């Protein structure tokens, strides 16, 4: 049963409309339901490198770039413009926030301009956002800053051997 549940949904999708539901065994319906729940949520500009293996039910912010490697656990990377790599020798997941701004700013600017030039639609009534600093990615940046503030306040509390409540943590985070 476990080996069957790993069938990706796109394998079953061509047959989805052809299935006569009353004739389908319950075990098959359970398999289809489990496969549908597996998701990979990625923001705009998500860039997995070559030979990247990801576990489903992972979520990535906009413009996350993933270095070559196997990622056996589910990932939730809320930091936009980050580089994610797997340091197997030290058994660590390495996330470098702001990688695109530090090392690949030219690619961001070039791609934003290039995509506008490639848009050959006749009817442009549907607005497509090409700018990397669009509202969705800027909101993710603001959320990431808040996360950094909370982590800094938590590190401060740990260093000073203090126990602080969630409300105090928020208050301390505002000072950073």
């Amino acid at each position: 049963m476990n080996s069957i549940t790993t069938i990706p949904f796109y394998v079953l999708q061509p047959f989805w409309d052809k299935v006569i539901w009353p004739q389908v065994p319950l075990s098959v319906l359970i398999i289809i339901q489990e496969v549908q729940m597996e998701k990979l949520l990625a923001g705009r500009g998500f860039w997995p490198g070559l030979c990247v293996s990801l576990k489903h039910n992972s979520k990535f912010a906009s413009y996350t770039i993933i270095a070559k490697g196997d990622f056996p656990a589910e990932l939730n990377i809320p930091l936009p413009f980050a580089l994610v790599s797997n340091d197997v020798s030290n058994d660590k997941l390495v996330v470098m926030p702001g990688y695109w701004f530090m090392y690949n700013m030219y690619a961001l600017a070039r791609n934003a301009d290039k995509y506008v030039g490639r848009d050959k639609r006749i009817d442009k009534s549907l607005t497509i956002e090409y700018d990397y600093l669009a509202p969705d990615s800027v909101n993710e940046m603001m959320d990431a800053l808040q996360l950094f503030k909370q982590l800094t306040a938590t590190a401060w509390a740990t260093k000073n051997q203090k126990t602080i409540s969630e409300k105090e943590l928020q208050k301390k985070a505002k000072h950073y």
Side-chain angles (χ1 to χ4, degrees), residues 7-19:
I7 297 172
F9 180 69
Y10 66 84
V11 173
L12 298 172
Q13 201 168 8
F15 308 104
W16 191 261
D17 295 328
K18 296 177 179 79
V19 173

Side-chain angles (χ1 to χ4, degrees), residues 46-113:
F46 173 72
W47 190 266
L50 298 174
C51 299
V52 168
S53 175
L54 296 170
K55 184 163 177 66
H56 277 346
N57 287 357
S58 293
K59 183 179 177 185
F60 301 96
S62 298
Y63 293 94
T64 301
I65 187 168
I66 308 213
K68 175 183 176 181
D70 294 326
F71 297 85
E74 297 173 352
L75 300 174
N76 182 9
I77 310 295
L79 308 173
F81 303 98
L83 170 68
V84 179
S85 60
N86 194 5
D87 185 0
V88 178
S89 60
N90 294 320
D91 196 29
K92 291 183 180 177
L93 181 69
V94 180
V95 180
M96 182 179 180
Y99 172 82
W100 283 89
F101 293 123
M102 293 171 62
Y103 298 104
N104 219 357
M105 189 68 178
Y106 173 75
L108 287 173
R110 183 195 66 205
N111 288 341
D113 187 50

Side-chain angles (χ1 to χ4, degrees), residues 13-53:
Q13 201 168 8
F15 308 104
W16 191 261
D17 295 328
K18 296 177 179 79
V19 173
I20 301 169
W21 293 108
Q23 297 175 356
V24 176
L26 183 60
S27 60
V28 173
L29 289 176
I30 292 169
I31 292 168
I32 292 172
Q33 182 182 2
E34 286 181 17
V35 171
Q36 281 183 319
M37 285 190 235
E38 294 181 2
K39 297 176 186 170
L40 180 76
L41 301 173
R44 275 183 325 112
F46 173 72
W47 190 266
L50 298 174
C51 299
V52 168
S53 175

